[in-house]
Amino acid sequence: MKINLINIILFFSICNYSYCMKIIYPNQFEVEVQLLHETQLNELLKVNNGKIHESLSKELTARTYSISSDQIIIEFYDKSGVLLKGEKDFNNLKRVRFIKNKVDFLKPRISYYIRLSEKEADDLINQLDGKHLTKYKAEFEEYFGFKVFQLSNGQVIIRYKDESTLYENLHALAFDNREVLNIHYPNGYESGKEEFINGILPIQFNVNNYIVYPNDAEKIIKTHELIKIKENIKFDNNFKSILYNSPKGYLILISDFEQLNVAGTAKIGIGTAHIFYTMESFTNEYEKKLNWRNEYEANPELRRGVHIYKDLSEKYGRDYPNHTMEELKKLPAILNFDSTYLKFDKTCISILSESIKWNYGGDEFLNQIIHPILSYIGEYYKSKKRGDWNMKLDGEGKVWEPWFVNSEGKELFDIINLYKDFHEAEYGIPMVEFYIQ
């Protein structure tokens, strides 16, 4: 009983701060959940004898647990989760879809949305004085037209011709909808720059560096009351920067605008300003830059460029098709889903796309995921008798490339574009559905 009481107190005390989110469907329910990072989730399961709740399953989440206090934990694919007070709240959330912000320049955040029928959307807009926000519209309205309504409680509804969706607020809609994102944050990675130049740190954005000009640098030094502590730092390139300390407790690295450009004909006219919240974070980042520069200089192959499938070729060579199942079986561990779902069907494809969104980012993840995903897509086609692997040597005759072709020899998907899509994500985080026709 003591453990139960402690956890109930913990839930309500933490919910007074920023660890909680209120999920609202007006006139239907209001559910308060405690957000848990991976360490918190694991500790709660350990202390409370948490067990997977087989009869409770939430679509497109990793798993559901019950703990000894009768509370419920929903775990997400990135190993974070939410704590609920009980089954009643869990049942209320059946229609709720959790989403995670993966927009680089925005602070990491978890939110939600609820799909609505046309009548439900109409009712909410009428009951909560929904205001049509006319600036939010599709670039090609005749094909992808939508309207955004802001309700009196701060929630928003986006309406397409065939569907409507309720979001927590405009910010949540923006990080889940690229067109709204571009309208809501027109400056993209430069968001917060004006405030930064005027002495305010961009705490609402996940940005720690900006492109700046000499006049900007002068103003930054003045508004942040900066004191020079180190010069001649080659950080991003061969141009030098100066490290400053602010009495407000952070550091800023700014390009030295007194140095000459590459041609040596004039002073540089454009540079960067990097923000570091501790000396330790600067030192760690600087060491990484130095190590990479040393590795780059010592390795001619890096300077020439490395074939994107060199690692795969060195590991398996022409024999890769005999190891594809071995590769794709790594997916549940990398993406944190139950291996029983690893099948060649639509359910698995949806799980792969959703779990990639929750985990996407960083070279380590991208390097882990690319070969298993390549293997899954090819083996999916193979299971449907659409074709087979065709190993080809690259133009220099050094790297075996793993193409997948049909009976006519036509490639069913482009392995080069697949790699680029995952590593560059120019059009958003890739969905596995896109590569399976």
Side-chain angles (χ1 to χ4, degrees), residues 76-107:
F76 303 133
Y77 294 119
D78 65 349
K79 299 183 180 178
S80 69
V82 288
L83 174 66
L84 294 84
K85 283 180 274 189
E87 282 198 35
K88 180 181 177 183
D89 282 351
F90 181 88
N91 291 330
N92 276 332
L93 299 184
K94 279 184 178 177
R95 293 178 59 186
V96 173
R97 175 85 171 268
F98 289 99
I99 50 175
K100 181 180 180 180
N101 166 39
K102 297 300 289 185
V103 178
D104 287 350
F105 66 83
L106 297 178
K107 289 285 186 185

Side-chain angles (χ1 to χ4, degrees), residues 62 100 106 173 314 322 417:
K100 181 180 180 180
L106 297 178
L173 171 59
E314 288 183 346
N322 294 324
N417 286 341

Side-chain angles (χ1 to χ4, degrees), residues 162-204:
D162 299 320
E163 66 177 32
S164 298
T165 309
L166 175 71
Y167 281 86
E168 180 186 10
N169 50 34
L170 267 170
H171 178 69
L173 171 59
F175 72 62
D176 197 48
N177 183 298
R178 186 162 287 269
E179 289 198 272
V180 173
L181 175 75
N182 294 335
I183 298 168
H184 198 58
Y185 298 104
N187 296 323
Y189 287 92
E190 292 287 277
S191 297
K193 178 177 175 179
E194 186 176 347
E195 291 86 350
F196 170 63
I197 292 172
N198 288 313
I200 301 169
L201 291 182
I203 54 174
Q204 69 182 100

